[in-house]
Structure formats: C-alpha cells, structure tokens
Amino acid sequence: MKRFLLSLLVVFLLLSSVAFGAETPKYGGTLIFGRGGDSVALDPANVTDGESTRVTEMIFEGLVGFKGETTDVIPVLATSWTISKDGKVWTFKLRKGVKFHDGTPFNAEAVKFSFDRQFDKNHPYYKYGRWEYAEFALDPLQKVEIVDDYTVRFTLKYPFSPFLANLAMFSCAIVSPTAVKKYEADFFKNPVGTGPFKFVEWTQKDKIVLEANPDYWGGRPYLDKLIFRVIPDNSVRWLELQKGSIDAMDGINPDDIPAIKNDPNVVFYQVPALNICYLAMNTEKKPFDNVSVRRAINYAINKKAIVDAFYGGIGIVAKNPIPPNMMGYNDKVKDYEYNPEKAKELLAKAGYPNGFETTLWTPSIPRVYVPQPTKVAEAIQADLAKVGIKAKIVTYDWGTYLQKTREGEHDMAILGWGSDNGDPDNTIYVLLDKDNTKKGVASNISFYKNDRLHDILIKAQQATSVSARKRLYEAAQEIIKSDAPWVPLAHTSAVAATRKYVKNFAVPAIGAIKFTRVWLDK
C-alpha cells in the first residue's frame, strides 16, 4: 500500500509539473508598454503626472511603499520604524547592502540628501531638487538627522496623520547623491535610484528604455528590458496590441472594451481606482469669481450623459472630490442635478442673462480619469452653449498643459487626479486648499480659497482618530459643494490590457503598474 501511494504521489507530481510548468516564471525578454503620452521628467522631486511617475517608480524607491495593489504601507528601503509618544519623531532603520544603479551605497546620508534637497533652501542642490508640492506632502517636516549609517530620524513640527502614507509616495523616493551632483540640472533625464530597473535611454515623444537591475536587493526582475512607448491615439494603441507590436497598454477607448474582452489572445484588467475627473473654474477670473456663475455651470452640464457616452462602463458620475470607496466620503451631499433652466436663472441673477464667452481647456492625451478628453470637452461645450455660454476649446501638449494650468492661464480646465496614497488629504487638501494656489506650482487650479475649509483640512491632518478625520472630511465636502469651484465629473476604474503571454500583471488602485515580477511566457 505504501509503495502504491508513493507511486501515485510521483505520478501526481509529474502530471502537476506538466500541467503547471507553463506558469513557472521565466527570466528574459522585453516588454513594450504602450501609453498615451510621454513623461515630463524622470526626477521624482519634480513630477506629479502619471506618465512620469509610472517610469520613476520602476527606477526609484522610498523608505516605505504600498503592498501589491493595496494602500497598506510596508517597508522598502527601511526595514522598520518607531514613533515617539507625541507622534512627532519617526526613527527608521535602513536596509543594509543596497546600492544605487551607479554602484554607490544607499545609506542614511543618501536619505538625508534626498529630503534636504527638496526642503532646505540652503542645500547646494535645492535648486535642482525642490519638489514643487513638498509643502503639502510633508509640510510639518522640521528636520532629517543621521543617527548612524543605517538609522535616520525625522522630526515633525506637529503630529501629522498622513505622514507614513505620504512617505510611500513616488515623490519621497531616494536618489543617488553622486548622480545628482554629477548631472545637476540634467538629473531629470539621467535618473539613478535603487529600484528594480535601470535607466538606459529616452527618445522624447517616442520611448523610454529601462533594463533589469541585476543587483536589485529584492531579486532581479524577470524581464530583461522594459520599454514605455508613446502612442497617443487609443485606437491605434489597441491595433498595435492586436498585432503584437506592443505587449501591454492602458488608455483604452471604452468602445473598444467589448472587442478586447472577446480577443482570445488578450487579457483585460479593470479595478476601481481612487481618482477624480473635474472641470475647474478659475475663481480668480471673472465671471468665475461669482458663486452663482459656478453653480449655474454645475446645473448646465449633463454629467450622466457624458459618463454614459464616453466612459463605456468604466466610470461613475462624481458629486464629491473623493470617490465613494475612500475614507471620509460624504454620500449625504446632494449633487447639482442637470437643470439648464436653473442654470439660466442663476446666470441672470449674476448679471449674465445672455451668457458670456470663455475658454474651455482640455488635455490632448487620454488619462485614466478621462479616456476621451476631446469628446468630453465637446459635450461640455454643447451643454454650456444651451445656456448661452460660448466656450472655445483650447489644448496643448501634456507638459505645457500642466504648466499653464498651474500658472492659472485658463478660464476653465478639465483635469483629474489619482490618489497617491489612498488618504483623502492627498486629494482634498492638494486640489482644493488655499495653501496650494501659488502661481506656477498650483495644484489647486481653481485657485479657490476658503478659510473655514482650510481650518477643517488642517485639523484633519493632525487628528489621530479615524472617526474624527471622517467627520472633518464630510464637513469639507459640504463646503466645497456649496462654493462650487469645480464641476466634479467622474470617477473611473483603472483599465489595461496585455497579450495573453504577459504573466503576473496587475493594475493597482493607486500608483503605477509594477513590472518587477512580471514575466513573459513566449
């Protein structure tokens, strides 16, 4: 009997190896990822756009990161951390034996250098590394100190609830001090980190090539090379995937989803994302300084029709700045219904009975939160025309568009945001607080300022109770709805597609797709 059972076990193992052998990860090969636009820069201290961060997250790492496709914070370049009783001192133990891609060691000195170049105006490399959004991510940071070669201490001015989650964001990645000193202003196109892939070349508006880091502390990636290729048109990108000239893509036209799902050679991915697409009204420009005009525009736009027509089942109508699956979402907020007559009444009350002329800015490339930006803009334009508002559509290349909206050159602009850490602070404070209205670096492109809202958001940052934070964010959403600096348009799912031979691929709710353990079964 024992011999018989042993024989059965051997046969089972042999059959298993045959049946599942194809799923054994393989090293080698090049994965080409098709995307809608090029990166703006490759220095994590100088970017916020998704096309840049999807590349930098493969080159650089932070002290902590997010586990898989979740918002759970885990150790990365740090191995552990402790927090003082007053919540103001954070001490991190660092991973030993890690090297940057240029062969120099990762240590506490590199950590201090990476943060000081963003915060310390007297730092010799501050002018090359000042992160334009540092103030809202780590505003309470007072100083970073080296305890020893592999211990670093962060001291905050006050307790700050999102601190650890913010440290997991792409912007807090650790850079090679040697490389920053070598390349100075050109570091953004010569990035050197500790991540799973190393930078090889960047042909602007065409492709970025990365190669596997053979000495990666977490284990060499399965792929030999990773190429990010720019293909602006969604439909053309889908044709390239069908032909096999690219291996994976995002920025999918909703109309193409049925065909993608039915293609036996392709795998479709869809996950709820933590994002928002919105129409921002520049409250520093007339007539958008008038709340009645802003409310009128909210009544004038048929959001449901737009989502139904141009989001193809991957979007839902938004009424708040944060999505329903985020902590603190206020479902009691009553949205502005589609009501053109009400819009006309409010415009007349504001002194514009015949409407007015303005501009409507829209991205030139598809984004996760707006897969068909031109069509969405045209629909908004048509809705506004019905209430007497003549809006001329304006667009620029992606980098220019971002810079000009940060400068406040627009009247109205379509834009969006994907949460970097899953915390409502990273959306509401970043996009709607008065702290973030500085021309040139504004993330609040409506330039909306409300002192009561500001006080609530600062309290929410410092509150240690989750229930207290929820109540504060719920109150914040009531204020924003009333003041109407935006028309919140849609929340979407993150979608992507790959050839069937691409294995261990996943789409995260936040952050960039991670290619570290992706492999090809060709």
Side-chain angles (χ1 to χ4, degrees):
M1 179 60 72
K2 288 181 180 179
R3 287 180 180 177
F4 175 71
L5 291 175
L6 183 59
S7 298
L8 280 180
L9 178 61
V10 170
V11 170
F12 173 76
L13 291 173
L14 287 171
L15 289 173
S16 297
S17 67
V18 172
F20 301 108
E23 296 301 315
T24 302
K26 299 176 182 177
Y27 286 94
T30 297
L31 185 144
I32 302 175
F33 186 89
R35 57 182 181 152
D38 200 3
S39 299
V40 176
L42 298 179
D43 181 349
N46 288 315
V47 296
T48 58
D49 70 289
E51 294 300 351
S52 297
T53 59
R54 73 158 82 239
V55 181
T56 63
E57 288 204 52
M58 292 295 93
I59 300 170
F60 298 94
E61 299 172 300
L63 297 180
V64 295
F66 297 111
K67 181 180 180 181
E69 284 65 60
T70 73
T71 56
D72 298 335
V73 177
I74 59 172
V76 181
L77 290 177
T79 56
S80 63
W81 55 88
T82 57
I83 313 164
S84 63
K85 288 183 179 180
D86 62 6
K88 294 194 291 185
V89 180
W90 295 67
T91 304
F92 292 84
K93 292 291 184 181
L94 306 182
R95 194 175 298 280
K96 297 179 180 179
V98 178
K99 289 187 177 182
F100 290 103
H101 300 154
D102 57 10
T104 57
F106 161 75
N107 51 28
E109 182 183 347
V111 175
K112 180 172 172 58
F113 179 96
S114 295
F115 283 93
D116 283 355
R117 78 179 185 121
Q118 297 189 52
F119 291 92
D120 183 358
K121 294 180 180 179
N122 297 316
H123 193 273
Y125 295 93
Y126 175 78
K127 61 184 176 181
Y128 306 125
R130 179 183 64 83
W131 183 41
E132 58 193 33
Y133 298 137
E135 290 181 4
F136 70 63
L138 296 175
D139 177 65
L141 182 60
Q142 188 172 45
K143 60 182 176 180
V144 181
E145 299 172 285
I146 296 172
V147 178
D148 58 43
D149 283 351
Y150 292 99
T151 310
V152 66
R153 180 189 300 127
F154 290 75
T155 301
L156 310 182
K157 301 167 193 171
Y158 48 83
F160 186 61
S161 290
F163 180 67
L164 192 63
N166 283 0
L167 277 186
M169 289 162 41
F170 62 87
S171 53
C172 295
I174 309 304
V175 301
S176 163
T178 302
V180 171
K181 293 172 185 177
K182 176 181 178 181
Y183 294 111
E184 297 186 330
D186 286 334
F187 181 73
F188 80 94
K189 53 186 178 183
N190 296 280
V192 180
T194 62
F197 290 91
K198 301 194 294 184
F199 175 76
V200 177
E201 64 173 312
W202 182 5
T203 305
Q204 293 198 339
K205 297 184 179 180
D206 180 17
K207 65 182 178 182
I208 291 175
V209 180
L210 309 182
E211 65 181 9
N213 175 9
D215 302 316
Y216 182 53
W217 64 266
R220 181 202 188 281
Y222 291 117
L223 299 170
D224 287 337
K225 283 188 178 181
L226 174 59
I227 297 175
F228 294 94
R229 185 176 152 205
V230 178
I231 307 172
D233 187 274
N234 289 356
S235 296
V236 173
R237 206 176 315 118
W238 163 226
L239 289 174
E240 296 272 10
L241 186 71
Q242 286 176 285
K243 292 189 299 183
S245 52
I246 63 174
D247 306 296
M249 63 173 282
D250 66 358
I252 294 170
N253 276 341
D255 291 345
D256 290 330
I257 291 175
I260 292 172
K261 288 181 175 180
N262 290 327
D263 191 318
N265 298 311
V266 173
V267 180
F268 177 71
Y269 299 83
Q270 179 174 351
V271 298
L274 299 175
N275 62 24
I276 176 69
C277 178
Y278 58 89
L279 173 67
M281 291 167 272
N282 191 335
T283 61
E284 291 189 343
K285 289 187 175 183
K286 290 186 177 298
F288 306 107
D289 59 339
N290 188 317
V291 69
S292 292
V293 170
R294 300 197 300 270
R295 289 172 180 166
I297 290 173
N298 270 273
Y299 282 117
I301 295 173
N302 190 341
K303 296 191 291 188
K304 185 178 185 304
I306 289 171
V307 171
D308 288 348
F310 307 119
Y311 281 80
I314 65 169
I316 60 171
V317 172
K319 65 178 180 179
N320 288 317
I322 59 174
N325 52 341
M326 184 177 282
M327 182 268 286
Y329 181 80
N330 189 346
D331 199 33
K332 294 179 181 178
V333 167
K334 184 180 179 183
D335 199 9
Y336 295 93
E337 76 272 14
Y338 174 56
N339 189 334
E341 293 307 313
K342 181 69 174 177
K344 290 177 182 178
E345 289 175 17
L346 286 169
L347 287 173
K349 176 184 174 183
Y352 299 94
N354 300 314
F356 55 88
E357 293 186 5
T358 188
T359 59
L360 169 60
W361 291 33
T362 188
S364 58
I365 62 172
R367 310 302 305 134
V368 170
Y369 47 78
V370 58
Q372 301 185 85
T374 301
K375 290 183 178 180
V376 169
E378 289 170 349
I380 292 173
Q381 181 187 48
D383 283 344
L384 294 177
K386 293 174 185 175
V387 299
I389 299 173
K390 297 178 181 178
K392 178 184 176 182
I393 294 176
V394 175
T395 193
Y396 297 92
D397 69 84
W398 183 229
T400 303
Y401 186 85
L402 291 175
Q403 189 55 48
K404 284 180 172 290
T405 52
R406 290 169 187 165
E407 294 282 359
E409 295 182 20
H410 58 289
D411 296 317
M412 297 186 290
I414 297 170
L415 204 55
W417 183 263
S419 174
D420 296 313
N421 61 14
D423 193 290
D425 175 74
N426 181 252
T427 298
I428 301 179
Y429 177 73
V430 170
L431 301 181
L432 289 160
D433 190 78
K434 69 176 186 177
D435 283 349
N436 300 312
T437 57
K438 184 180 178 182
K439 294 284 178 67
V441 296
S443 53
N444 176 352
I445 67 160
S446 58
F447 297 89
Y448 161 64
K449 304 176 184 74
N450 182 302
D451 290 337
R452 182 168 165 243
L453 175 67
H454 174 75
D455 291 342
I456 286 173
L457 295 180
I458 297 303
K459 286 178 182 176
Q461 287 179 344
Q462 298 181 30
T464 55
S465 161
V466 172
S467 59
R469 297 189 78 213
K470 282 182 179 178
R471 288 194 297 272
L472 289 164
Y473 287 120
E474 287 169 358
Q477 288 160 80
E478 295 280 0
I479 294 170
I480 293 162
K481 190 266 174 152
S482 177
D483 285 352
W486 286 2
V487 179
L489 295 171
H491 307 293
T492 67
S493 295
V495 294
T498 70
R499 299 290 294 181
K500 200 170 185 179
Y501 54 72
V502 177
K503 303 296 183 180
N504 207 29
F505 183 93
V507 178
I510 62 169
I513 294 168
K514 296 176 177 66
F515 294 92
T516 314
R517 311 317 293 167
V518 171
W519 56 282
L520 306 178
D521 184 23
K522 284 188 176 182

